[in-house]
């Protein structure tokens, strides 16, 4: 009888951990108020297993929205470091991509990928709730598409 | 009718207060409008006058603000003091030299409250408050440029030079924006 050796692959590990995506929010300024409909009953993110958690240590994904200053970005990095692997960073809205309407301000971060590794940018000012659900679904698709080797 | 009598009563009270302040502080108080008094003083008297005003019931320091008068070569510091007993806002204005912006700290009277206001003025205008032990940046961590609220600092050009690359086709458009 041949005993098949169990191989641990990245895909298998990711499949175990990434099921429903729990989210920790790091929002500045209007970022919070604009994403609030995603949580509330109209779009209700909990029906897709998306839960806003109260500690980065429980989170799979980090949502960053609103314009970030150099001071707030340091705190975002601390949050990112506390999150367990596998972790995904979503940058929401145009402010995180280019600085948005604060593109020529002296104290805003222009490109967030210079500070934390971004999994996905979601454009929009603010992004539609549907776009956020679609982006989070892509995490699961991403895990499915990983090569099993 | 009752409101009118109240107004006249209030103005009488304020007149008394102005006279009192004039004699005790040794400054000329201007009546701007109802419940608004202001005075201009020399910058070296600031601690002395603030102490006396505190003793007269102006216990609350609302804020300290700075105006940059570029042509005049001066920074104008404005201290807003509120009195809970008189219900009057006393504004103390003082001017300091723009090239040598030093003034004594009022943290002996208002403590940490004044220190936070002074930290903000220090980082945005570069005003040095002598006697304030903690003038570290409040908002602008890792800032290397000049104080950003100075009138002669063109921060739009500064940001373009520091953050954007004119040869990058994606960022070229930023240099075409005219403001």
């Amino acid at each position: 009888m041949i005993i098949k050796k169990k191989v641990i692959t990245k895909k298998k590990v990711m499949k175990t951990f990434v099921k429903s995506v729990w989210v920790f929010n790091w929002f500045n300024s209007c970022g919070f108020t604009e994403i609030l409909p995603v949580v509330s009953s109209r779009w209700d993110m909990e029906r897709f297993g998306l839960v806003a958690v109260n500690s980065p240590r429980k989170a799979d994904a980090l949502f960053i929205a609103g314009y970030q200053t150099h001071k707030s970005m340091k705190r975002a990095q601390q949050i990112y470091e506390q999150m367990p692997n596998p972790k995904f960073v979503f940058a929401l809205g145009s402010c995180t991509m280019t600085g948005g309407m604060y593109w020529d301000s002296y104290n805003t971060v222009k490109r967030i990928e210079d500070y934390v590794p971004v999994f996905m940018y979601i454009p929009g000012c603010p992004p539609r709730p549907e776009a956020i659900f679609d982006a989070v679904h892509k995490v699961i698709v991403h895990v499915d598409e990983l090569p099993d080797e | 009718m009752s409101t009118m009598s109240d107004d006249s009563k209030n103005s009488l009270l304020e007149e008394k207060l102005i006279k009192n302040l004039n004699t005790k502080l040794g400054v000329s108080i201007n009546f701007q409008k109802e419940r608004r008094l202001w005075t201009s003083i020399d910058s070296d008297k600031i601690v002395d006058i603030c102490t006396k005003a505190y003793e007269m019931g102006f216990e609350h320091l609302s804020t300290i603000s700075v105006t940059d008068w570029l042509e005049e070569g001066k920074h104008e510091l404005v201290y807003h003091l509120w009195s809970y007993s008189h219900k009057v806002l006393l504004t103390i204005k003082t001017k300091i030299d723009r090239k040598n912006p030093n003034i004594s700290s009022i943290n002996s009277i208002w403590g940490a409250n004044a220190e936070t206001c002074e930290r903000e003025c220090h980082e945005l205008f570069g005003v040095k408050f002598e006697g304030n032990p903690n003038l570290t940046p409040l908002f602008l961590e890792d800032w290397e440029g000049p104080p950003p609220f100075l009138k002669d600092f063109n921060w739009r050009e500064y940001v373009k030079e520091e953050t954007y690359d004119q040869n990058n086709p994606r960022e070229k458009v930023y240099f075409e924006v005219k403001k």
Side-chain angles (χ1 to χ4, degrees):
Chain A
M1 206 175 91
I2 303 159
I3 300 162
K4 238 188 168 181
K5 210 178 170 188
K6 255 195 175 176
V7 187
I8 299 169
T9 61
K10 192 183 176 186
K11 184 175 182 171
K12 274 175 189 149
V13 175
M14 294 276 261
K15 273 236 162 195
T16 336
F17 284 106
V18 183
K19 277 170 184 162
S20 59
V21 180
W22 285 13
V23 179
F24 189 78
N25 295 327
W26 181 247
F27 291 164
N28 266 13
S29 62
C30 60
F32 171 71
T33 49
E34 302 286 11
I35 306 305
L36 208 54
V38 180
V39 188
S40 63
S41 57
R42 185 154 193 175
W43 277 280
D44 192 13
M45 69 185 200
E46 283 198 25
R47 66 201 161 125
F48 301 121
L50 277 159
V51 182
V53 291
N54 54 12
S55 162
R57 284 157 208 264
K58 299 172 188 168
D60 303 304
L62 174 64
F63 279 4
I64 300 181
Y67 68 87
Q68 299 294 322
T69 64
H70 295 283
K71 189 173 179 175
S72 76
M73 213 54 230
K74 279 187 191 172
R75 278 68 181 170
Q77 281 170 340
Q78 284 178 11
I79 291 166
Y80 179 78
E81 282 160 13
Q82 287 181 40
M83 284 165 63
N85 276 322
K87 51 191 169 187
F88 305 92
V89 177
F90 291 91
L92 278 66
S94 55
C95 277
T96 49
M97 301 165 76
T98 62
M101 60 189 283
Y102 307 102
W103 63 274
D104 61 351
S105 166
Y106 53 85
N107 196 28
T108 53
V109 169
K110 310 296 184 298
R111 286 169 297 266
I112 241 173
E113 80 247 31
D114 297 348
Y115 297 84
V116 286
V118 175
F119 178 71
M120 197 177 290
Y121 280 113
I122 310 172
C125 185
R128 292 285 306 163
E130 293 90 333
I132 293 164
F133 295 142
D134 197 23
V136 174
H137 179 239
K138 284 209 165 66
V139 172
I140 292 149
V141 175
H142 166 76
V143 175
D144 279 342
E145 284 173 353
L146 278 176
D148 197 9
E149 55 195 22
Chain B
M1 285 302 283
S2 63
T3 52
M4 275 192 73
S5 64
D6 275 359
D7 280 354
S8 56
K9 212 167 143 190
N10 280 339
S11 63
L12 264 175
L13 278 173
E14 268 173 22
E15 265 174 39
K16 261 190 190 171
L17 180 67
I18 290 171
K19 271 186 194 168
N20 225 341
L21 281 167
N22 277 336
T23 49
K24 283 200 180 159
L25 302 189
V27 291
S28 66
I29 303 280
N30 297 288
F31 179 79
Q32 197 186 11
K33 60 179 184 185
E34 201 190 339
R35 294 185 176 182
R36 287 266 177 159
L37 308 176
W38 66 271
T39 177
S40 294
I41 59 160
D42 289 337
S43 61
D44 50 350
K45 285 186 197 159
I46 186 74
V47 179
D48 181 40
I49 285 177
C50 281
T51 316
K52 281 176 186 165
Y54 182 84
E55 283 160 4
M56 285 187 67
F58 290 88
E59 302 118 337
H60 179 68
L61 173 74
S62 295
T63 189
I64 305 171
S65 63
V66 184
T67 318
D68 186 13
W69 298 106
L70 191 60
E71 288 108 36
E72 218 178 315
K74 299 256 181 188
H75 281 314
E76 187 177 37
L77 270 79
V78 184
Y79 295 76
H80 302 271
L81 311 182
W82 175 256
S83 167
Y84 291 109
S85 46
H86 305 298
K87 296 193 171 49
V88 168
L89 189 77
L90 176 66
T91 304
I92 298 173
K93 299 180 183 184
T94 177
K95 282 189 177 173
I96 53 173
D97 190 21
R98 206 169 169 278
K99 281 177 187 159
N100 184 25
N102 288 322
I103 192 163
S104 357
S105 169
I106 49 165
N107 64 351
S108 55
I109 310 159
W110 281 286
N113 180 17
E115 272 172 23
T116 312
C117 293
E118 287 170 356
R119 267 172 88 184
E120 193 182 352
C121 294
H122 174 74
E123 79 169 349
L124 297 177
F125 290 91
V127 179
K128 288 190 190 82
F129 291 88
E130 287 154 6
N132 189 329
N134 183 19
L135 283 177
T136 49
L138 188 60
F139 308 113
L140 300 172
E141 285 182 4
D142 303 335
W143 173 254
E144 281 160 1
F149 276 27
L150 291 181
K151 283 267 172 69
D152 55 356
F153 170 54
N154 190 344
W155 49 267
R156 284 190 207 280
E157 289 304 315
Y158 179 87
V159 169
K160 277 181 195 172
E161 277 171 26
E162 289 288 313
T163 33
Y164 297 119
D165 179 16
Q166 202 157 9
N167 299 323
N168 185 339
R170 283 182 65 190
E171 294 175 359
K172 208 170 60 185
V173 66
Y174 292 124
F175 291 86
E176 289 156 13
V177 178
K178 286 202 173 71
K179 276 192 180 173

